[in-house]
Amino acid sequence: MKFTLSWLKDHLETEASLDEIVRTLTAVGLEVESVDDPAARLAPFTIAEVVSAEAHPDADKLRVLRVETGSGEPLQVVCGAPNARAGMKGVFAAEGSYVPGTGITLKPTKIRGVASNGMMVSERELELSEDHDGIIDLPDDAPVGTSYASWAGLDDPVIEIGITPNRQDCLGVHGIARDLAAAGLGTLKEGTVELVPAAFPSPVEIRTEDEEGCPALYGRVVRGVKNGSSPAWMQRRLRAVGLRPIDALVDITNYLMLDRARPLHVYDLAKLDGPLVARKAKAGETVEALNEKTYELAPSMTVLADDAGAHDIGGIMGGERTGVSADTTDVLIECAYFDPVSVARTGQALSLYSDARARFERGVDPGFLEGGIELATRLVLDLCGGEASDIARAGTPPTEKKIVSYDPALCASLSGVDVDEAEQARILSELGFDVDRAFPWSVTVPLWRRDVDGAADIVEEVIRIHGLHTVPSTPLPRGEGVAAPTATPAQTMERRVRRALAARGLDEMITWSFVSDAEAEAFGGTSFRLANPISADLVAMKRSALPSLVSAARTNLDRGARTVRVFELARRYLDDGERPTVGILLAGLSREKDWRTGNEAGFDIFDAKAEALAALAAAGAPTDNLQVQAGASDWYHPGRSGRLMLGPKTCLAEFGELHPRTARAMDVGGRVAAAEVFLDAVPAAKGKRARPAFAPPALQPVLRDFAFLLDQAVPTADLVRAVAGADKSAITEVRLFDYFEGAGVPEGKVSVAIRVTLQPGDKSFTDEELSAISAKVVAAAEKRGATLR
Amino acid sequence: MTADIDQQTADWLARIAAADSPSDVEALRVEALGKSGAITAQLKTLGKMSPEERQTTGAALNRMRQEVQAALTSRKEALEAAELDRKLTEEAVDVSLPVDHGRTGSVHPVSQVMDELAEIFADLGFAVATGPEIEDDWHNFTALNIPEHHPARTMHDTFWFPKEEGEDAPKLLRTHTSPVQIRTMTDGEPPIRIIAPGRVYRSDSDATHTPMFHQVEGLVIDRGIHMGHLKWTLETFVKAFFETDDVELRLRPSYFPFTEPSAEVDVRCSFAGGKLTITSDGDDWMEILGSGMVNRRVIEMCGLDPSVWQGFAFGVGIDRLAMLKYGMTDLRQFFEGDLRWSGHYGFSPFAVPTLSQGVGA
């Protein structure tokens, strides 16, 4: 909401400075977003007289002026304006002036060989209007040498404030003035409305057939108007706040909307066909609105119509068909109360914003229909002439006042500030509330404050005017002793996994929760697809933590990254809920070419498996007890992927290399390894604080190596587990250290070498005991189809 | 006789000194002190000597044996040391060769700041609460006193899902973390002190707005809580988070449907030299969060009695806090996954925010 200082002073009797006003506006909750003081910008421009205007010796369209500026000798100025002539008064910019419309700082110059000092400016050059047909032409009585801005009334500071959705009353200058007066910045001018006597009965029938959407509709005819330009003062104010003056009738409605937060509409009576009726739109009915767009309406929407159909979207925008023009002679002024919810719903459905909607959907003052139409009539008569009918009224605006029961002690208990009762009562009555101080107070809410309906709102009114700076900083009561831990087990788990993976060399990413349909499709589709996405790339909620990590990897590789090792603590958005999931992605090189380790290498399934296990270990999962199953979700390579299972049903993680088809769909080259760790499936760690006594074995362990030939179809882990179980009292560790196929190994077999750690108890193993254990190992292996090499 | 032995000793010592390899030393040892060595043979004659002879010649022989033995040992050690030196010299490498000492990854600034917030608020007794991102209309709006078609809804730029059969209102992506307030109040009993950090969504996109971002919600519900407690809590938080005691806050009346009274909170700052500094000497204010006393209607809607329980709530953008504290200027880059950005702004996994080490990395 923009307004000018002089406009404010129409409503507020005040001696306060601009600074004080700006500070107070923000302090009472009308946050000042900007202050533009054109006086500063227009300071260099003064009124000057053109003493003589000669033709330029070398240019037909230029003239050489001698300009009297009011100080010193007349200056020579070369000017191209067609209206430049001897004897005229205009606006002069001396050298050194910054001309806002051109962005140029003036320097003495020569134009086609003739010296020119400063310039005579147009309105566009001062950013006053788009007018650039000639230089500004001032009346003869304009005083030479004085500031143009102050002479023309252009030194009126423009203040822009943000209006929160509860304050429709401050979408008018009068309401802003009321708040400032209550805050002690002066006296509100009541702005009593003078009634315009009726010269004849209204010739137009007014009806509301939709009392829900339009409870009240008033109309008044003015005959014999002349719709020219509005006066300069009105145009200046409208322009200052960013509105384009149209013609007197339209400007009057805009002016009153800003002045009193009261939207109005003026129809050309000649274009109205029959009565003015508020009704619900008919299905498929269309309105060509004043913004030159056509809207198709639904039967839930309220329109104003005549016999020829709907012409106005109620409370939002007038129609092209019945609008006024320069030829208009008879008008109907309309002043209505539209239901806020209905206006909001219609506006949302049509995606149509307007200043009127902003006010109606917040709820205009239902007690000011009469005042609004009287003010409008007065202005029309004053600016356009004519004579007014009486007011035709249909329906009744909802003017029942709310009364709030209020205990003034609530102010201290809610805000922490004990504002004394007399001051509370003063503030409320200055804001227009009626206060009955018999306990508990009965506070009657003014009709323009639709937002206030409870005791806490009354406290808010009191405290915002009294000043939030008076709220005393008060420590929260603190529990005894050291602060207790507050993180849940799930939060602790996430924090550990995050820092564990980062410590292993992975970078944490945070990526969009939604991806494109194609990306979602490559990773199991989506359970939730946005109805109103911001773009087609961000539409489908992920069912896997991977797609956006793959996209990020691709972007980084395209940019020249050699290795991408990333993870994200994301959610998978599934039909039955959101699941905390760690996505892990490894792409590019796992190892650079190196003088110690030789050639470069990429990532494979086992890198992904290692990261998944590390994440699970950090999450506190029992990694020693997990079984590995071959195969994972569709987006993995079917032969190079697996699941880490806890028991037969609980999958803690999937890992593997991306399916080539998935990689192609995601447009990422090379072998990409990935894993997803399902944190919600990880069992809670059992809280064992104390540990058993430390009892290290007295004797050194003994190592024995074995090599077996194994069927390729048998998972090696089965062999390892079988060996580990061959003699549980002696075998403490079994480690695979070699695995190969090919040369020297029969077809369909692999050579598997394992190292078994044997831990003696009280006595060293005898040779016989060692032989016996070896025999058990071999026997256990043979049960899995392995043969000793 | 003893003079002769002294001469022999001198000869042996000279030969030992001249030996230039451990094997030469060993040969001399065998020659002198081996089973059939010269000195060994001489010592064998001791038994046949008279007691007088044994006293003189015997002592001289034993002395010779000791001296030769000592010389052999010392010469052997010297030669071995020289041998080792030579070998070590041969084994020397170019110590300037580079090694790969592994890489450390990084923690995203948003995660780091969330951990900082959790640490600070834990000290004030706030637990961390969470809730779903795909929310229903009731938790995101209605229970927060934003009825359907309330103008505040249009300020939220909500992402909606299509309305499913059987639903009164379509599901949506939560537009703020405030629904966690509702879930906490409906699921638990006061007194309540929580913060709720998490992802939120609005259909908006430019340098300072992304369709997904992070907020943290704070909620205190107890007996006798008023705006003064809110102000103190925020001051304490801002001081701890920005690691300065030189903090001045300004509460400015504002409007949120779920709080009453409501206040935006500005912090005094300076932009001198193009650099943001939080200081009570500054001549500027920067808006950092929205807050207020929880609307009595919200408390009622959560099934609590507002004449007993009241409290405050606040909400603040985590990404913005990170930007203010650590100097990022473009919010969009937070979610683009550029590894160069992670390297530049990410945090060491070992920089865990704790009260004893400080919450700033």
Side-chain angles (χ1 to χ4, degrees), chain A residues 273-591:
Chain A
D273 189 359
L276 179 69
V277 181
R279 61 162 168 82
K280 295 272 193 242
K282 294 169 185 156
E285 200 167 15
T286 60
V287 163
E288 191 189 350
L290 283 170
N291 62 2
E292 295 173 357
K293 286 184 187 155
T294 300
Y295 293 90
E296 184 171 331
L297 308 175
S300 62
M301 301 173 178
T302 302
V303 295
L304 295 178
D306 58 10
D307 288 347
H311 48 70
D312 186 300
I313 308 168
I316 300 181
M317 197 170 279
E320 193 68 36
R321 172 164 68 83
T322 54
V324 293
S325 69
D327 306 327
T328 300
T329 57
D330 298 344
V331 296
L332 173 68
I333 305 171
E334 169 240 295
C335 183
Y337 183 85
F338 293 101
D339 174 59
V341 170
S342 163
V343 170
R345 201 174 289 168
T346 301
Q348 281 166 22
L350 297 177
S351 295
L352 178 54
Y353 293 91
S354 71
D355 289 333
R357 172 184 166 189
R359 287 161 178 81
F360 279 117
E361 75 179 2
R362 286 167 166 83
V364 299
D365 180 357
F368 196 66
L369 270 68
E370 212 72 42
I373 206 161
E374 291 287 358
L375 279 176
T377 311
R378 168 51 56 205
L379 277 171
V380 170
L381 294 185
D382 287 354
L383 305 185
C384 308
E387 54 176 7
S389 75
D390 62 2
I391 302 172
R393 300 177 182 85
T396 342
T399 52
E400 196 178 327
K401 289 191 173 174
K402 279 180 281 193
I403 299 174
V404 176
S405 170
Y406 177 63
D407 174 358
L410 186 63
C411 181
S413 82
L414 208 53
S415 74
V417 188
D418 193 1
V419 181
D420 78 42
E421 295 191 7
E423 173 66 0
Q424 294 198 40
R426 183 200 67 79
I427 289 171
L428 291 170
S429 62
E430 295 243 11
L431 290 173
F433 293 79
D434 284 329
V435 181
D436 175 352
R437 288 177 61 179
F439 186 84
W441 292 12
S442 295
V443 179
T444 307
V445 181
L447 287 171
W448 60 82
R449 291 303 302 274
R450 182 170 172 267
D451 58 301
V452 174
D453 60 2
D457 301 78
I458 303 292
V459 174
E460 179 168 61
E461 291 307 299
V462 169
I463 194 65
R464 80 180 172 87
I465 299 295
H466 183 74
L468 277 182
H469 65 278
T470 60
V471 170
S473 188
T474 312
L476 275 182
R478 197 188 159 99
E480 296 233 334
V482 173
T486 57
T488 62
Q491 288 158 1
T492 304
M493 185 190 286
E494 287 202 3
R495 289 183 200 169
R496 287 184 176 159
V497 169
R498 170 181 296 119
R499 290 185 188 272
L501 289 175
R504 288 176 61 82
L506 276 68
D507 290 299
E508 186 188 10
M509 313 220 129
I510 296 181
T511 64
W512 308 121
S513 306
F514 25 49
V515 294
S516 72
D517 284 324
E519 287 169 321
E521 209 42 56
F523 289 89
T526 182
S527 298
F528 293 91
R529 194 172 179 285
L530 287 173
N532 60 335
I534 200 164
S535 86
D537 290 339
L538 306 173
V539 61
M541 301 303 287
K542 293 187 283 200
R543 294 178 71 172
S544 155
L546 296 178
S548 42
L549 288 179
V550 177
S551 303
R554 179 188 59 229
T555 314
N556 280 293
L557 292 171
D558 288 352
R559 223 181 248 137
R562 310 268 301 151
T563 178
V564 176
R565 310 155 191 234
V566 295
F567 72 101
E568 177 172 14
L569 284 153
R571 293 187 185 192
R572 291 177 301 139
Y573 303 88
L574 306 183
D575 290 324
D576 57 354
E578 296 166 28
R579 309 292 185 80
T581 306
V582 190
I584 294 170
L585 196 97
L586 308 167
L589 298 182
S590 67
R591 168 171 99 219

Side-chain angles (χ1 to χ4, degrees), chain B residues 84-222:
Chain B
L84 184 61
D85 282 349
R86 191 171 54 250
K87 205 171 155 203
L88 291 181
T89 309
E90 282 168 6
E91 283 174 5
V93 296
D94 177 358
V95 297
S96 74
L97 284 170
V99 291
D100 179 0
H101 58 97
R103 65 200 295 280
T104 301
S106 63
V107 169
H108 195 284
V110 166
S111 301
Q112 183 75 13
V113 167
M114 282 190 182
D115 284 357
E116 294 179 13
L117 295 173
E119 195 66 11
I120 292 167
F121 279 101
D123 189 53
L124 304 180
F126 287 67
V128 178
T130 53
E133 294 165 19
I134 297 175
E135 260 296 1
D136 56 51
D137 192 82
W138 191 80
H139 283 94
N140 196 73
F141 289 125
T142 310
L144 287 159
N145 196 33
I146 315 176
E148 203 191 348
H149 303 293
H150 190 286
R153 284 202 178 192
T154 60
M155 288 161 54
H156 276 230
D157 302 318
T158 311
F159 281 118
W160 298 96
F161 294 101
K163 193 163 155 178
E164 300 286 330
E165 220 167 295
E167 282 179 347
D168 289 339
K171 285 215 163 47
L172 50 86
L173 282 173
R174 65 177 179 191
T175 57
H176 46 188
T177 40
S178 306
V180 185
Q181 277 187 37
I182 304 300
R183 292 184 176 276
T184 307
M185 281 191 274
T186 50
D187 294 353
E189 291 291 316
I192 292 168
R193 286 189 197 185
I194 55 135
I195 57 167
R199 293 183 181 194
V200 298
Y201 304 85
R202 296 194 190 182
S203 58
D204 203 352
S205 186
D206 60 40
T208 53
H209 297 91
T210 47
M212 177 186 92
F213 57 104
H214 298 81
Q215 270 190 350
V216 61
E217 190 82 3
L219 175 71
V220 171
I221 299 288
D222 206 333

